[in-house]
Amino acid sequence: MKFRRRAQQQQEEETVSLPGMYRVGEPIQDTKAPDGPIEDRWDTRRFQAKLVNPVNKRKLTVIVVGTGLAGGSAAATLGELGYKVKSFCYQDSPRRAHSIAAQGGINAAKNYRGDGDSIYRLFYDTVKGGDYRARESNVYRLAQVSVNIIDQAVAQGVPFAREYGGLLDTRSFGGTQVSRTFYARGQTGQQLLLGAYQALERQVAAGNVEVFTRHEMLELIVSGGRARGVVVRDMVTGEIETHLADAVVLASGGYGNVFYLSTNAKGCNTTAIWRAHKKGAYFGNPCYTQIHPTCIPQSGDHQSKLTLMSESLRNDGRVWVPKRKGDNRAPGDIPEDERDYYLERIYPAFGNLVPRDIASRAAKNVCDEGRGVGPGGLGVYLDFADAIRRMGREAVEKKYGNLFEMYERITGENPYEVPMRIYPAVHYTMGGLWVDYDLQSTIPGLFVIGEANFSDHGANRLGASALMQGLADGYFVLPTTIGDYLAGATSFGPVEEDDVAEARKAVQDKIDKLLSVNGNRTADSFHRELGRIMWDYCGMERTEESLRKALERIPELREEFWNNVKVPGDAEGLNQALERAGRVADFFELAELMCIDALHRTESCGGHFRAESQDADGEALRDDENFAYVAAWEWTPEGPVLHKEELNYEYVKMTQRSYK
Amino acid sequence: MAVTGAVLVLFLIAHMLGNLKIFLGADSFNHYAEWLRTVGSPALPNRTVLTITEIVLVVCVVLHMWAAVSLARRAAKARPVKYAAKRKSQANGYATHTMRYGGVIIVLFVIWHLLDMTFGTVNPEGGDATPYARMIAGFQPDRWWVALFYLVAMVMVGFHLRHGLWSAFQTLGLTRRPRVRSTLQTTAVAVSAVLVIGFVSAPVCILIGVVK
Amino acid sequence: MNLTLKIWRQNGSSDKGRMVTYRVDDVSPDMSFLEMLDVLNERLILEGDDPVAFDHDCREGICGMCGMVINGVAHGEQKLTTTCQLHMRHFKDGDTITIEPWRAAAFPVVKDLVVDRSAFDRIIQAGGFVSVPTGSAPEAHSVPVPKADADAAFDAATCIGCGACVAACPNGSASLFTAAKITHLSLLPQGQPERESRARAMVEQMDAEGFGGCTNTGECTAVCPKGIPFDTIARMNADYLKAASK
């Protein structure tokens, strides 16, 4: 009740401060998480969940969109369970999903080091790392199944790094003080994804899964109030296809590409979840964006994407900038006492290992002070000179060799001799479609897993937790919870033809429109401009003023897009320009919602930093009194409606995060 | 390919050892040639072993060539459209890229070699002379071009073997471990080199008059 | 710098295709090869022409989606580098660059530089996995793996499935790709139960897809952006011979 009142008060305030931008609707609740001790909740839910008769599973079709860690593992597991699975990806093979690019590792509460780790500690660290904006029940379950993921991956033949005794090696990773991160050199995502991919292909061979590559989901089919299928475009033939099912799983990843420049793959897009959002799925916390501190800085306007350097580099590299503003000397010429190892100075306890949001903002601050290095002063040094002195070049090479090579390939500089230059870049979106404990969205039968959901990371994701969450959702959580929904499939009834026709028409209309504008600008040029607006006004630091400016500019630009975009060719056959234009169109709409969400959340938390809300030291200042909720946004033609899901912390006490 | 190649390599080693008998004088060499015909005698009729060897060799050569042709045909089928840009080899190893036309040169050489040394058709001494006489006559300085052809062919054989041997080790799956792999690499080079030197030494010595 | 590009254009699988020459000016040496093509494509779109279709996704050298034969070399002459990671600083002002798709019967051209590599997926389907249903795995530490084996398995497992090995092989063979997966799994204890059946099924699928035979030229390893070792092919051969002899 107290919460209700608070919400109402706030609503009044907001209708004054944000007139016409959004309305506040009924609060929303996660009705699926069981009560009781947190350790037992997942067990309880698994026992409560209804089972599907093995004979009936064969008759049930599940669509899985996306083949990354979450989608690939889910499709494989559902196939093993006996469901008929249809799996879709826009790439030419399921093995190429962008999970493949994850470098650093995967967390698991195995406590193989005996360094005090436990399921509870992983749970605690994740809730704290997420700046108290994640659900306790979900996070605890994530920590619980983390150990099963490692077992599963090892059994699949994932070649994790090992010690001389033949046991698995672990390391400590961004923002944690225990060594719980399992890794496969700098290619952990690749190895885990190939494990899931191979499991998926095994099911293809067994006839349980059908994979549709080079197919892009463009619309969700909702019939009788349930998600019943998708409309996809065969990107090779251009054909618009309808696929019906008993449940739909979206595992289409994050939307970091709304910023144009990000560490996402070029094809990553929001279309699948945005279409679902417009069909009734609430969007949770769209403004929570993770800016990764260790990326290779932009080299020019031609830049098409940014490349991440694994955060593991911060284990041995030291971050610094010159003490003096505008110091243009070569790094080697700057004496030790004229360098500012600012992370070690400001955060003596965690030093270079502070969580991502903190490291990113600190880099931005020193660059804003005019102490940045490299082109445009947008960079800080990540220096391995000490590590090379201490461990020897060979040891450094062994640990980071492939990352150093990658850096040199891109920049043409040798990081063994010259310190690396790094700068923060958009990396991950904690927000996504709102789901309950069962990972089901507000549309019955629509499940959302991996980065595509608003997930378990709260306002900030810890390093090596994305792989963990994707695989937890795909291998262990969804295959159990979806059964509870599918057990009632006999009562679903047939899919209404009108609903299918409407979805197909929406897709066709949009394609026709894009092709008919025939203006003077490419979709990419709009995308770049949108990205610039988002980075400048809704990026690492947000203010009311900047967000308002963004909300003015985005609709103007969107308007121009629909009147002036040029998409060559036709819809028959492969047309990459058409694909891109369709994605950019959806990014425009999402961008606006992100800014509204960022504007309404006047506190700072995790990946969302509002300049108005900081403490005396410039650290993010949460407002737990007013904002300890998940913002779940409903799409309506009249504008977004905010539904708040209150967050309760029974186990982890809410405190101001401190890494000093 | 690997198996037939291996048989042919064994033959080459035996053939080379036999050739080297030229340095022990005419009697030794002729006696060896005679022994090739009579080995197994009297238990077996003359030429039994030799004929069997010849049949095995012919079968191996034919199979080896058939394998090469079918690989080449398969390769052509696997890439029906060729690259417009000249394909630049990225792997080092001249030997690797001369297998096919090197093989053709070797076949042509073998035909000449049989006509010259076995049947004597193109040998100045003719088919009725002793093997020693045919060999000495075959490589006289006035027939320098024969010796040159022989030399070129032997170098070709060397290249062919250098890649062929190593390739055979690889095809038979023997080169899995780095240590074994480098040993076998060296072996391939050494065997090829020894064979080339062994085969070339006799004609060169005849050409410059060391052996008369 | 200013460049001349000769690019293979083919409008769909039934088109015959041809090389078309384009000029691209003001190329920055810091651009990646694909960014240089982006510049060309932006221009083509505005001129109302069909932009050059090419596959790409992560642009950080790991997804394996990109791949072109650049001046006759798969992924270009820079060693251990995918096309997306190749930077223009390796080219000179005035250069003419020939750009072609992977050429192989098993990789039919979809459009321009885009080819269909689904044959690789089918090779994996034939046996490139360990049959371990979700949830059935034993505790991870129950089977120690010697570090040397784990490292060698990792080296083979880094294959990104881009297909450069096929494109570079004079025989159009997919041996390196197939061998990489066979080696990865055959070096680990987890891969032992299915070791022989896997080798046999994968090699047979590879042949059925219409790839050429291996003659051990080593061109595959030389262009492989991940440097998959050549001995993987020996291991595949050993496993296959063992399986076939049974």
Short mmCIF file of all heavy atoms in Angstrom, two decimals, chain A residues 76-125:
data_model
loop_
_atom_site.label_atom_id
_atom_site.label_comp_id
_atom_site.label_asym_id
_atom_site.label_seq_id
_atom_site.Cartn_x
_atom_site.Cartn_y
_atom_site.Cartn_z
N ALA A 76 18.33 -26.09 -28.52
CA ALA A 76 18.91 -27.43 -28.39
C ALA A 76 18.20 -28.21 -27.29
O ALA A 76 17.81 -29.37 -27.46
CB ALA A 76 20.40 -27.34 -28.12
N THR A 77 18.03 -27.56 -26.14
CA THR A 77 17.45 -28.25 -24.99
C THR A 77 15.98 -28.60 -25.23
O THR A 77 15.52 -29.70 -24.90
CB THR A 77 17.61 -27.39 -23.72
OG1 THR A 77 18.99 -27.08 -23.58
CG2 THR A 77 17.13 -28.13 -22.49
N LEU A 78 15.25 -27.66 -25.83
CA LEU A 78 13.84 -27.95 -26.13
C LEU A 78 13.74 -29.10 -27.12
O LEU A 78 12.85 -29.95 -27.01
CB LEU A 78 13.15 -26.69 -26.69
CG LEU A 78 12.98 -25.54 -25.69
CD1 LEU A 78 12.50 -24.27 -26.40
CD2 LEU A 78 12.01 -25.91 -24.57
N GLY A 79 14.68 -29.13 -28.07
CA GLY A 79 14.71 -30.25 -29.01
C GLY A 79 14.96 -31.57 -28.30
O GLY A 79 14.30 -32.58 -28.55
N GLU A 80 15.91 -31.55 -27.38
CA GLU A 80 16.22 -32.76 -26.62
C GLU A 80 15.00 -33.24 -25.83
O GLU A 80 14.76 -34.44 -25.66
CB GLU A 80 17.37 -32.50 -25.64
CG GLU A 80 18.73 -32.38 -26.30
CD GLU A 80 19.78 -31.72 -25.41
OE1 GLU A 80 19.51 -31.51 -24.21
OE2 GLU A 80 20.86 -31.42 -25.92
N LEU A 81 14.23 -32.26 -25.33
CA LEU A 81 13.06 -32.62 -24.52
C LEU A 81 11.95 -33.20 -25.37
O LEU A 81 11.01 -33.79 -24.85
CB LEU A 81 12.55 -31.38 -23.77
CG LEU A 81 13.43 -30.90 -22.60
CD1 LEU A 81 12.93 -29.56 -22.08
CD2 LEU A 81 13.46 -31.94 -21.50
N GLY A 82 12.04 -33.00 -26.69
CA GLY A 82 11.05 -33.62 -27.56
C GLY A 82 10.09 -32.66 -28.22
O GLY A 82 9.21 -33.06 -28.97
N TYR A 83 10.26 -31.35 -27.95
CA TYR A 83 9.40 -30.39 -28.65
C TYR A 83 9.84 -30.28 -30.10
O TYR A 83 10.99 -30.55 -30.44
CB TYR A 83 9.49 -29.00 -28.00
CG TYR A 83 8.96 -28.95 -26.59
CD1 TYR A 83 9.83 -28.83 -25.50
CD2 TYR A 83 7.60 -29.02 -26.33
CE1 TYR A 83 9.36 -28.77 -24.20
CE2 TYR A 83 7.12 -28.96 -25.03
CZ TYR A 83 8.00 -28.84 -23.96
OH TYR A 83 7.53 -28.80 -22.69
N LYS A 84 8.92 -29.81 -30.92
CA LYS A 84 9.27 -29.50 -32.30
C LYS A 84 9.73 -28.05 -32.31
O LYS A 84 8.98 -27.15 -31.95
CB LYS A 84 8.02 -29.64 -33.18
CG LYS A 84 8.29 -30.36 -34.47
CD LYS A 84 7.00 -30.60 -35.21
CE LYS A 84 7.19 -30.07 -36.60
NZ LYS A 84 6.04 -29.45 -37.18
N VAL A 85 10.99 -27.82 -32.66
CA VAL A 85 11.54 -26.48 -32.53
C VAL A 85 11.86 -25.89 -33.89
O VAL A 85 12.40 -26.57 -34.77
CB VAL A 85 12.83 -26.52 -31.67
CG1 VAL A 85 13.42 -25.11 -31.53
CG2 VAL A 85 12.54 -27.11 -30.30
N LYS A 86 11.49 -24.62 -34.06
CA LYS A 86 11.92 -23.88 -35.25
C LYS A 86 12.81 -22.74 -34.76
O LYS A 86 12.39 -21.93 -33.95
CB LYS A 86 10.71 -23.31 -35.99
CG LYS A 86 9.90 -24.35 -36.73
CD LYS A 86 8.74 -23.67 -37.44
CE LYS A 86 8.12 -24.60 -38.48
NZ LYS A 86 7.10 -23.89 -39.27
N SER A 87 14.03 -22.73 -35.27
CA SER A 87 15.01 -21.76 -34.79
C SER A 87 15.36 -20.81 -35.93
O SER A 87 15.59 -21.24 -37.06
CB SER A 87 16.23 -22.53 -34.30
OG SER A 87 17.38 -21.75 -34.30
N PHE A 88 15.41 -19.52 -35.62
CA PHE A 88 15.65 -18.50 -36.67
C PHE A 88 16.87 -17.64 -36.35
O PHE A 88 17.09 -17.28 -35.20
CB PHE A 88 14.43 -17.57 -36.78
CG PHE A 88 13.19 -18.27 -37.25
CD1 PHE A 88 12.37 -18.94 -36.35
CD2 PHE A 88 12.85 -18.28 -38.59
CE1 PHE A 88 11.22 -19.60 -36.78
CE2 PHE A 88 11.71 -18.94 -39.03
CZ PHE A 88 10.90 -19.60 -38.13
N CYS A 89 17.65 -17.34 -37.38
CA CYS A 89 18.71 -16.35 -37.18
C CYS A 89 18.92 -15.59 -38.48
O CYS A 89 18.65 -16.10 -39.56
CB CYS A 89 20.01 -17.00 -36.72
SG CYS A 89 20.76 -18.11 -37.90
N TYR A 90 19.41 -14.35 -38.35
CA TYR A 90 19.60 -13.54 -39.56
C TYR A 90 20.94 -13.84 -40.21
O TYR A 90 21.18 -13.50 -41.36
CB TYR A 90 19.45 -12.04 -39.27
CG TYR A 90 20.55 -11.42 -38.43
CD1 TYR A 90 21.79 -11.11 -38.98
CD2 TYR A 90 20.35 -11.13 -37.08
CE1 TYR A 90 22.80 -10.54 -38.22
CE2 TYR A 90 21.36 -10.56 -36.31
CZ TYR A 90 22.58 -10.27 -36.89
OH TYR A 90 23.58 -9.72 -36.13
N GLN A 91 21.86 -14.46 -39.45
CA GLN A 91 23.17 -14.78 -40.01
C GLN A 91 23.08 -16.01 -40.92
O GLN A 91 22.05 -16.66 -40.97
CB GLN A 91 24.19 -15.07 -38.89
CG GLN A 91 24.44 -13.91 -37.95
CD GLN A 91 23.51 -13.93 -36.75
OE1 GLN A 91 22.49 -14.58 -36.74
NE2 GLN A 91 23.89 -13.19 -35.71
N ASP A 92 24.19 -16.35 -41.56
CA ASP A 92 24.15 -17.50 -42.46
C ASP A 92 24.35 -18.81 -41.72
O ASP A 92 24.22 -19.88 -42.30
CB ASP A 92 25.17 -17.36 -43.60
CG ASP A 92 26.60 -17.57 -43.12
OD1 ASP A 92 26.90 -17.23 -41.97
OD2 ASP A 92 27.42 -18.08 -43.91
N SER A 93 24.66 -18.73 -40.43
CA SER A 93 24.76 -19.94 -39.63
C SER A 93 24.49 -19.58 -38.18
O SER A 93 24.86 -18.49 -37.74
CB SER A 93 26.17 -20.54 -39.76
OG SER A 93 26.39 -21.48 -38.72
N PRO A 94 23.87 -20.50 -37.44
CA PRO A 94 23.60 -20.18 -36.03
C PRO A 94 24.89 -19.94 -35.23
O PRO A 94 24.84 -19.32 -34.18
CB PRO A 94 22.84 -21.41 -35.51
CG PRO A 94 22.89 -22.43 -36.57
CD PRO A 94 23.26 -21.78 -37.85
N ARG A 95 26.00 -20.38 -35.75
CA ARG A 95 27.25 -20.26 -34.99
C ARG A 95 27.76 -18.82 -34.96
O ARG A 95 28.74 -18.55 -34.29
CB ARG A 95 28.33 -21.16 -35.59
CG ARG A 95 28.75 -20.72 -36.99
CD ARG A 95 29.81 -21.64 -37.58
NE ARG A 95 31.06 -21.53 -36.87
CZ ARG A 95 31.97 -22.50 -36.78
NH1 ARG A 95 31.75 -23.66 -37.33
NH2 ARG A 95 33.09 -22.33 -36.14
N ARG A 96 27.16 -17.92 -35.72
CA ARG A 96 27.74 -16.59 -35.83
C ARG A 96 27.12 -15.55 -34.91
O ARG A 96 27.50 -14.39 -34.94
CB ARG A 96 27.64 -16.11 -37.27
CG ARG A 96 28.15 -17.14 -38.28
CD ARG A 96 28.75 -16.52 -39.49
NE ARG A 96 28.96 -17.47 -40.55
CZ ARG A 96 30.02 -18.28 -40.62
NH1 ARG A 96 30.94 -18.24 -39.69
NH2 ARG A 96 30.14 -19.13 -41.63
N ALA A 97 26.11 -15.95 -34.13
CA ALA A 97 25.47 -14.98 -33.23
C ALA A 97 26.52 -14.25 -32.40
O ALA A 97 27.60 -14.79 -32.14
CB ALA A 97 24.48 -15.71 -32.33
N HIS A 98 26.20 -13.04 -31.97
CA HIS A 98 27.25 -12.19 -31.41
C HIS A 98 27.75 -12.63 -30.03
O HIS A 98 28.77 -12.11 -29.55
CB HIS A 98 26.80 -10.73 -31.37
CG HIS A 98 27.95 -9.78 -31.25
ND1 HIS A 98 29.02 -9.80 -32.10
CD2 HIS A 98 28.21 -8.80 -30.35
CE1 HIS A 98 29.89 -8.86 -31.74
NE2 HIS A 98 29.43 -8.24 -30.69
N SER A 99 27.11 -13.58 -29.40
CA SER A 99 27.69 -14.15 -28.17
C SER A 99 29.10 -14.60 -28.45
O SER A 99 29.94 -14.68 -27.55
CB SER A 99 26.89 -15.37 -27.71
OG SER A 99 25.54 -15.07 -27.54
N ILE A 100 29.36 -14.92 -29.71
CA ILE A 100 30.65 -15.46 -30.10
C ILE A 100 31.78 -14.50 -29.78
O ILE A 100 32.92 -14.89 -29.62
CB ILE A 100 30.64 -15.81 -31.61
CG1 ILE A 100 31.76 -16.79 -31.94
CG2 ILE A 100 30.80 -14.57 -32.48
CD1 ILE A 100 31.35 -17.95 -32.73
N ALA A 101 31.46 -13.22 -29.68
CA ALA A 101 32.52 -12.23 -29.49
C ALA A 101 32.86 -11.98 -28.02
O ALA A 101 33.81 -11.26 -27.73
CB ALA A 101 32.11 -10.92 -30.15
N ALA A 102 32.10 -12.58 -27.11
CA ALA A 102 32.40 -12.36 -25.69
C ALA A 102 33.78 -12.92 -25.38
O ALA A 102 34.10 -14.03 -25.77
CB ALA A 102 31.34 -13.03 -24.82
N GLN A 103 34.57 -12.13 -24.72
CA GLN A 103 35.97 -12.52 -24.55
C GLN A 103 36.27 -13.10 -23.17
O GLN A 103 36.77 -14.20 -23.03
CB GLN A 103 36.87 -11.30 -24.81
CG GLN A 103 36.74 -10.76 -26.22
CD GLN A 103 37.42 -9.42 -26.41
OE1 GLN A 103 37.99 -8.86 -25.48
NE2 GLN A 103 37.39 -8.90 -27.61
N GLY A 104 35.94 -12.34 -22.16
CA GLY A 104 36.53 -12.56 -20.83
C GLY A 104 36.23 -13.87 -20.14
O GLY A 104 37.15 -14.59 -19.76
N GLY A 105 34.98 -14.22 -19.96
CA GLY A 105 34.73 -15.45 -19.24
C GLY A 105 33.31 -15.57 -18.75
O GLY A 105 32.44 -14.79 -19.11
N ILE A 106 33.10 -16.59 -17.95
CA ILE A 106 31.77 -16.87 -17.41
C ILE A 106 31.88 -17.16 -15.92
O ILE A 106 32.71 -17.96 -15.49
CB ILE A 106 31.10 -18.05 -18.17
CG1 ILE A 106 29.73 -18.39 -17.56
CG2 ILE A 106 32.00 -19.28 -18.21
CD1 ILE A 106 28.87 -19.26 -18.45
N ASN A 107 31.06 -16.49 -15.16
CA ASN A 107 31.10 -16.67 -13.71
C ASN A 107 30.35 -17.93 -13.29
O ASN A 107 29.35 -18.28 -13.91
CB ASN A 107 30.44 -15.47 -13.01
CG ASN A 107 31.30 -14.23 -13.07
OD1 ASN A 107 32.53 -14.34 -13.13
ND2 ASN A 107 30.68 -13.07 -13.07
N ALA A 108 30.83 -18.56 -12.24
CA ALA A 108 30.09 -19.66 -11.64
C ALA A 108 30.55 -19.82 -10.21
O ALA A 108 31.74 -19.68 -9.91
CB ALA A 108 30.32 -20.97 -12.41
N ALA A 109 29.58 -20.11 -9.35
CA ALA A 109 29.87 -20.18 -7.92
C ALA A 109 30.39 -21.56 -7.54
O ALA A 109 29.86 -22.23 -6.67
CB ALA A 109 28.61 -19.85 -7.13
N LYS A 110 31.44 -22.00 -8.21
CA LYS A 110 31.98 -23.33 -7.94
C LYS A 110 32.86 -23.34 -6.69
O LYS A 110 33.08 -24.38 -6.09
CB LYS A 110 32.81 -23.80 -9.14
CG LYS A 110 31.98 -24.30 -10.32
CD LYS A 110 31.46 -25.70 -10.07
CE LYS A 110 30.99 -26.38 -11.36
NZ LYS A 110 30.35 -27.67 -11.06
N ASN A 111 33.41 -22.21 -6.37
CA ASN A 111 34.38 -22.11 -5.26
C ASN A 111 35.49 -23.14 -5.37
O ASN A 111 35.89 -23.75 -4.39
CB ASN A 111 33.67 -22.23 -3.90
CG ASN A 111 34.61 -21.82 -2.77
OD1 ASN A 111 35.52 -21.01 -2.95
ND2 ASN A 111 34.39 -22.40 -1.59
N TYR A 112 36.00 -23.37 -6.57
CA TYR A 112 37.11 -24.31 -6.75
C TYR A 112 38.39 -23.79 -6.09
O TYR A 112 39.30 -24.55 -5.82
CB TYR A 112 37.37 -24.51 -8.24
CG TYR A 112 36.41 -25.45 -8.93
CD1 TYR A 112 36.22 -25.39 -10.30
CD2 TYR A 112 35.69 -26.41 -8.21
CE1 TYR A 112 35.36 -26.25 -10.96
CE2 TYR A 112 34.82 -27.27 -8.87
CZ TYR A 112 34.66 -27.19 -10.24
OH TYR A 112 33.80 -28.04 -10.88
N ARG A 113 38.46 -22.48 -5.89
CA ARG A 113 39.67 -21.91 -5.29
C ARG A 113 39.63 -21.92 -3.78
O ARG A 113 40.63 -21.60 -3.13
CB ARG A 113 39.83 -20.45 -5.74
CG ARG A 113 40.09 -20.29 -7.20
CD ARG A 113 41.51 -20.70 -7.47
NE ARG A 113 41.73 -20.75 -8.91
CZ ARG A 113 42.83 -20.32 -9.48
NH1 ARG A 113 43.80 -19.81 -8.76
NH2 ARG A 113 42.96 -20.41 -10.77
N GLY A 114 38.45 -22.19 -3.23
CA GLY A 114 38.32 -22.11 -1.78
C GLY A 114 38.59 -20.70 -1.26
O GLY A 114 39.08 -20.52 -0.16
N ASP A 115 38.27 -19.70 -2.10
CA ASP A 115 38.57 -18.34 -1.67
C ASP A 115 37.34 -17.63 -1.11
O ASP A 115 37.25 -16.41 -1.13
CB ASP A 115 39.18 -17.53 -2.82
CG ASP A 115 38.29 -17.50 -4.07
OD1 ASP A 115 37.18 -18.10 -4.02
OD2 ASP A 115 38.69 -16.89 -5.06
N GLY A 116 36.41 -18.42 -0.61
CA GLY A 116 35.27 -17.81 0.07
C GLY A 116 34.08 -17.56 -0.85
O GLY A 116 33.15 -16.86 -0.47
N ASP A 117 34.11 -18.14 -2.04
CA ASP A 117 32.97 -17.93 -2.93
C ASP A 117 31.85 -18.90 -2.55
O ASP A 117 32.08 -19.92 -1.90
CB ASP A 117 33.40 -18.15 -4.39
CG ASP A 117 32.41 -17.53 -5.37
OD1 ASP A 117 31.53 -16.76 -4.90
OD2 ASP A 117 32.50 -17.79 -6.57
N SER A 118 30.67 -18.55 -2.95
CA SER A 118 29.51 -19.41 -2.70
C SER A 118 28.38 -18.91 -3.58
O SER A 118 28.47 -17.82 -4.15
CB SER A 118 29.09 -19.32 -1.23
OG SER A 118 28.69 -17.99 -0.94
N ILE A 119 27.32 -19.70 -3.67
CA ILE A 119 26.15 -19.26 -4.42
C ILE A 119 25.65 -17.95 -3.84
O ILE A 119 25.32 -17.01 -4.57
CB ILE A 119 25.06 -20.35 -4.37
CG1 ILE A 119 25.49 -21.51 -5.26
CG2 ILE A 119 23.71 -19.79 -4.81
CD1 ILE A 119 24.62 -22.73 -5.16
N TYR A 120 25.65 -17.89 -2.51
CA TYR A 120 25.15 -16.69 -1.87
C TYR A 120 26.00 -15.47 -2.22
O TYR A 120 25.50 -14.38 -2.46
CB TYR A 120 25.07 -16.86 -0.35
CG TYR A 120 24.13 -15.87 0.29
CD1 TYR A 120 22.78 -16.16 0.46
CD2 TYR A 120 24.58 -14.61 0.65
CE1 TYR A 120 21.91 -15.24 1.01
CE2 TYR A 120 23.71 -13.68 1.20
CZ TYR A 120 22.38 -13.99 1.37
OH TYR A 120 21.51 -13.07 1.90
N ARG A 121 27.32 -15.67 -2.28
CA ARG A 121 28.18 -14.53 -2.57
C ARG A 121 28.01 -14.05 -4.02
O ARG A 121 28.00 -12.86 -4.29
CB ARG A 121 29.66 -14.86 -2.30
CG ARG A 121 30.56 -13.63 -2.45
CD ARG A 121 32.00 -13.91 -2.08
NE ARG A 121 32.18 -14.24 -0.67
CZ ARG A 121 32.20 -13.33 0.32
NH1 ARG A 121 32.05 -12.05 0.05
NH2 ARG A 121 32.34 -13.70 1.56
N LEU A 122 27.86 -14.99 -4.92
CA LEU A 122 27.63 -14.60 -6.32
C LEU A 122 26.31 -13.83 -6.44
O LEU A 122 26.20 -12.81 -7.12
CB LEU A 122 27.62 -15.84 -7.23
CG LEU A 122 27.29 -15.62 -8.71
CD1 LEU A 122 28.16 -14.57 -9.34
CD2 LEU A 122 27.44 -16.93 -9.49
N PHE A 123 25.32 -14.35 -5.74
CA PHE A 123 24.01 -13.68 -5.67
C PHE A 123 24.17 -12.27 -5.12
O PHE A 123 23.73 -11.28 -5.71
CB PHE A 123 23.09 -14.54 -4.79
CG PHE A 123 21.97 -13.80 -4.14
CD1 PHE A 123 20.91 -13.29 -4.89
CD2 PHE A 123 21.93 -13.64 -2.75
CE1 PHE A 123 19.86 -12.63 -4.27
CE2 PHE A 123 20.89 -12.97 -2.13
CZ PHE A 123 19.86 -12.46 -2.89
N TYR A 124 24.88 -12.18 -4.01
CA TYR A 124 25.08 -10.89 -3.34
C TYR A 124 25.83 -9.91 -4.25
O TYR A 124 25.40 -8.76 -4.44
CB TYR A 124 25.85 -11.12 -2.04
CG TYR A 124 26.18 -9.86 -1.28
CD1 TYR A 124 25.31 -9.36 -0.32
CD2 TYR A 124 27.37 -9.17 -1.53
CE1 TYR A 124 25.60 -8.19 0.37
CE2 TYR A 124 27.67 -8.01 -0.85
CZ TYR A 124 26.78 -7.52 0.10
OH TYR A 124 27.08 -6.37 0.77
N ASP A 125 26.92 -10.40 -4.83
CA ASP A 125 27.73 -9.52 -5.70
C ASP A 125 26.91 -9.02 -6.89
O ASP A 125 27.07 -7.88 -7.33
CB ASP A 125 28.95 -10.28 -6.24
CG ASP A 125 30.02 -10.47 -5.16
OD1 ASP A 125 29.87 -9.88 -4.07
OD2 ASP A 125 30.98 -11.22 -5.42
#
